[in-house]
């Protein structure tokens, strides 16, 4: 990605004047602090303060975890409650699509009830396989304010499931009752099961027709003398070939020995003047990811976004987008998501919407804070109907992003001049170079490998405006 100089924040004097027009408003302003770290106490600090207050008093939420597994494997999803306002009864219907099925493990194993935290409510469940659902209920009315997993369900991934397939799991019309049996306001999230490549799969001549979609690719360092080594390498020893180069090698670039699904570029206003008539003819461009903007103000929309989007669409090039973040708190990340969604409104994207986190001051925060910022933006975008993704470098993915964020959201990993990323987790895209060259763009451009069929997934499940 290319950094953009942060512009000075304008003081919205008129808005502050309105806020201080009455004693009550003046009291609110006098208590404000510089919450977004921009050196100015202004209307945006007021908005963040309001959001923090709303969050502190937010409704209860029922959330689903996500999981990954190979065809034929069994995975487990947790259904949890957060911000529990105090419930006396609950009914939660968990729905799953064909051909996913509850694992045939016996009822005591397939559905696990958390009786340690919610046993006072006497939880129970009924499975309705013909309706692709599991119904969780409580049978005793007592007050319970616990947060955490209420129950877990194990699912079997079909043997013939195609790697890269994503199955959405959802909660249907949940009911939580509080004191005096009143219905409580409630937010719900969604989970997903992502099918990965079987672990035992090895490279062979058949791999070219079944590309790796999620697992990190095995790559090789291409050098002047690599051709002979590659030709003499057997099909079952690609890992050895990946580390075999001539001792006299002086020029290296990054390539892949296992097939990727798509090859593409990501661009921003730094590539102003890009000619899509030529870009569309370059074999390296199966897709393009556009910077939509950066920061938390609408005026920070990328100046070339509209022209680039129009050019890509007119030439039939699938499009994704990313938002360069400066957020230092989850509240700021939600503000950025709101602005990003405004910029994207009315458009369709075949590739994910990525949250680009790479500012040093962000990545110097503790892991939990970094991960909370990522989660706030990505969850907000998911709630708005977008397929969210994390963009970050290998080192920081390994060291400052927690496992929850990396498993909950798709990952686009950046690592240059290496035979493969050092990131140890799963990723759907790899930005392997920032010095590439393609037709129609003057100077360097970022190059990316893609291992998931995002257009099929996004269109099938109606993300990103579809």
């Amino acid at each position: 990605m290319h950094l953009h100089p942060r512009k000075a924040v304008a003081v919205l004097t008129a808005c502050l004047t309105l806020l201080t027009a009455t004693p009550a408003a003046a009291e609110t302003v006098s208590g404000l602090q510089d919450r977004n770290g921009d050196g100015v106490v202004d209307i945006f600090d007021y908005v963040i303060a309001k959001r923090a207050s709303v969050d502190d008093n937010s409704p209860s939420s029922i959330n689903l975890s996500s999981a990954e597994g190979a065809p034929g494997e069994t995975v487990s999803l947790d259904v949890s409650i957060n911000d529990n306002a105090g419930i006396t009864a609950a009914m939660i219907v968990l729905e799953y699509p064909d051909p996913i099925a509850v694992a045939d493990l016996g009822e005591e194993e397939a559905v696990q009830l958390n009786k340690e935290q919610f046993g006072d409510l006497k939880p129970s469940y009924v499975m309705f396989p013909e309706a692709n659902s599991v119904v969780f209920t409580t049978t005793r009315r007592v007050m319970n304010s616990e947060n955490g997993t209420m129950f877990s369900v194990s699912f079997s991934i079909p043997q013939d499931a195609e790697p890269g397939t994503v199955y959405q799991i959802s909660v249907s019309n949940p009911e939580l009752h509080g004191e005096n049996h009143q219905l409580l306001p409630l937010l719900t999230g969604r989970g997903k099961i992502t099918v990965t490549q079987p672990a035992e799969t090895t490279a062979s001549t058949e791999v070219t027709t079944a590309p790796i979609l999620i697992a990190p690719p095995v790559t090789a360092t291409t050098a002047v003398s690599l051709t002979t080594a590659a030709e003499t390498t057997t099909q079952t020893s690609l890992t050895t070939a990946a580390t075999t180069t001539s001792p006299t090698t002086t020029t290296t670039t990054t390539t892949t020995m296992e097939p990727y699904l798509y090859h593409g570029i990501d661009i921003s206003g730094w590539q102003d003047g890009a000619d899509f008539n030529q870009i569309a003819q370059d074999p390296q461009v199966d897709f393009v990811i556009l910077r939509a903007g950066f920061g938390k103000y609408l005026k920070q929309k990328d100046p070339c976004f509209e022209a680039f989007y129009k050019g890509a669409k007119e030439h039939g090039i699938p499009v994704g987008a990313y938002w360069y973040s400066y957020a230092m708190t989850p509240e700021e990340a939600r503000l950025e998501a709101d602005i990003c969604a405004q910029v994207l409104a009315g458009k369709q994207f075949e590739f994910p919407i990525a949250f680009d986190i790479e500012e040093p001051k962000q990545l110097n925060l503790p892991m939990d804070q970094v991960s909370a910022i990522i989660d706030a933006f990505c969850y907000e975008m998911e709630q708005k109907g977008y397929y969210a993704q994390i963009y970050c470098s290998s080192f920081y993915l390994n060291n400052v992003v927690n496992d929850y964020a990396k498993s909950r959201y798709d990952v686009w990993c950046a690592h240059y001049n290496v035979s493969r990323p050092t990131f140890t987790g799963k990723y759907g895209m790899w930005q392997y170079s920032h010095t590439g060259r393609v037709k129609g763009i003057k100077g360097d451009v970022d190059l990316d490998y893609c291992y998931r069929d995002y257009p099929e997934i996004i269109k099938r499940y109606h993300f990103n405006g579809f």
Side-chain angles (χ1 to χ4, degrees):
M1 299 291 179
H2 298 284
L3 306 183
H4 191 291
R6 192 175 187 186
K7 298 179 180 179
V9 179
V11 180
L12 302 182
T13 306
C15 294
L16 286 177
T17 301
L18 288 174
L19 289 175
T20 56
T22 65
E27 182 179 350
T28 301
V29 173
S30 66
L32 277 179
Q33 299 175 349
D34 180 15
R35 290 174 172 263
N36 55 15
D38 60 9
V40 179
V41 177
D42 57 17
I43 187 65
F44 296 100
D45 298 297
Y46 173 69
V47 172
I48 292 172
K50 284 184 64 177
R51 283 176 174 268
S53 176
V54 170
D55 287 344
D56 291 340
N57 298 281
S58 60
S60 300
S61 62
I62 299 296
N63 298 315
L64 278 68
S65 64
S66 294
E68 293 186 346
E73 289 185 349
T74 297
V75 296
S76 180
L77 268 63
D78 298 331
V79 181
S80 60
I81 182 171
N82 294 324
D83 299 315
N84 188 346
I87 60 173
T88 58
M91 183 181 74
I92 302 171
V93 181
L94 185 66
E95 295 185 337
Y96 52 91
D98 287 327
I100 289 290
V102 175
D104 187 15
L105 301 174
E107 290 193 1
E108 294 300 319
E109 296 294 329
V111 181
Q112 297 281 335
L113 302 174
N114 183 357
K115 295 183 179 180
E116 182 175 346
Q117 288 181 271
F118 301 96
D120 56 346
L121 292 168
K122 290 191 176 180
S124 63
Y125 67 90
V126 180
M127 291 193 290
F128 294 96
E130 67 281 357
N132 289 13
S133 61
V134 177
V135 180
F136 170 92
T137 60
T138 59
T139 57
R140 184 183 178 196
R141 289 188 177 275
V142 296
M143 182 64 71
N144 182 295
S145 300
E146 294 282 345
N147 290 313
T149 299
M150 302 185 79
F151 65 104
S152 303
V153 181
S154 295
F155 293 98
S156 295
I157 299 175
Q159 292 282 357
D160 59 353
E162 192 71 27
T165 301
V166 177
Y167 298 103
Q168 292 285 352
I169 315 297
S170 61
V171 169
S172 175
N173 298 321
E175 292 185 5
L176 297 183
H177 294 264
E179 194 173 10
N180 300 322
H181 312 309
Q182 81 274 19
L183 278 174
L184 297 175
L186 184 62
L187 300 174
T188 60
R190 292 180 297 177
K192 60 184 178 182
I193 297 174
T194 304
V195 184
T196 63
Q197 191 77 10
E200 66 273 12
T201 299
T202 57
S204 70
T205 55
E206 296 179 356
V207 173
T208 57
T209 60
I212 301 275
L213 298 181
I214 300 174
V218 178
T219 60
T221 302
T222 302
V224 175
S225 59
L226 183 59
T227 305
T228 303
E231 290 174 349
T232 57
T233 303
T234 63
Q235 293 172 329
T236 57
S237 60
L238 290 183
T239 303
T240 303
T243 58
T244 304
T245 58
S246 167
T248 60
T249 296
T250 57
T251 303
T252 61
T253 57
T254 306
T255 66
T256 181
M257 291 183 66
E258 293 211 24
Y260 49 86
L261 197 57
Y262 301 107
H263 190 281
I265 60 174
D266 57 272
I267 58 176
S268 69
W270 293 98
Q271 283 77 38
D272 191 10
D275 182 353
F276 277 86
N277 289 316
Q278 296 184 55
I279 293 173
Q281 299 174 29
D282 195 301
Q284 297 179 99
V285 185
D286 297 321
F287 65 91
V288 59
I289 309 296
L290 309 176
R291 185 177 70 170
F294 56 96
K296 62 181 182 292
Y297 304 125
L298 190 57
K299 66 182 180 181
Q300 292 171 299
K301 175 181 178 179
D302 189 285
C304 294
F305 175 70
E306 294 292 344
F308 285 173
Y309 178 86
K310 184 173 183 287
K313 287 292 184 177
E314 286 179 346
H315 290 85
I317 303 174
V319 180
Y322 71 91
W323 193 265
Y324 189 95
S325 174
Y326 289 103
M328 295 295 289
T329 66
E331 289 77 17
E332 288 183 345
R334 292 189 187 98
L335 284 173
E336 290 187 342
D338 286 342
I339 298 300
C340 178
Q342 290 182 49
V343 172
L344 304 183
K347 296 178 172 62
Q348 294 180 319
F349 300 89
E350 295 84 358
F351 277 73
I353 308 303
F355 180 62
D356 180 358
I357 182 165
E358 56 181 290
E359 280 288 295
K361 64 179 181 179
Q362 294 173 308
L363 299 172
N364 283 331
L365 294 170
M367 176 181 286
D368 287 347
Q369 289 181 244
V370 173
S371 303
I373 289 169
I374 291 170
D375 185 45
F377 181 96
C378 291
Y379 183 76
E380 193 77 14
M381 293 304 290
E382 285 192 339
Q383 294 298 101
K384 298 176 187 299
Y386 293 98
Y387 190 110
Q389 183 182 56
I390 306 167
Y391 169 91
C392 196
S393 70
S394 278
F395 176 83
Y396 290 107
L397 283 167
N398 282 331
N399 292 284
V400 302
V401 182
N402 67 21
D403 290 339
Y404 170 81
K406 289 182 288 192
S407 62
R408 178 66 179 83
Y409 304 107
D410 218 287
V411 173
W412 177 9
C413 172
H415 202 159
Y416 314 132
N417 302 320
V418 292
S419 60
R420 65 180 297 168
T422 57
F423 173 49
T424 57
K426 306 293 186 182
Y427 52 89
M429 289 170 56
W430 171 23
Q431 185 186 80
Y432 68 88
S433 175
H434 64 297
T435 56
R437 294 299 177 98
V438 299
K439 297 177 181 178
I441 295 179
K442 295 179 180 179
D444 297 336
V445 65
D446 297 331
L447 300 178
D448 305 275
Y449 292 130
C450 176
Y451 301 90
R452 275 186 178 166
D453 192 351
Y454 290 114
E456 194 278 333
I457 295 168
I458 287 169
K459 290 178 181 178
R460 186 200 311 175
Y461 294 104
H462 306 294
F463 290 111
N464 296 1
F466 285 99

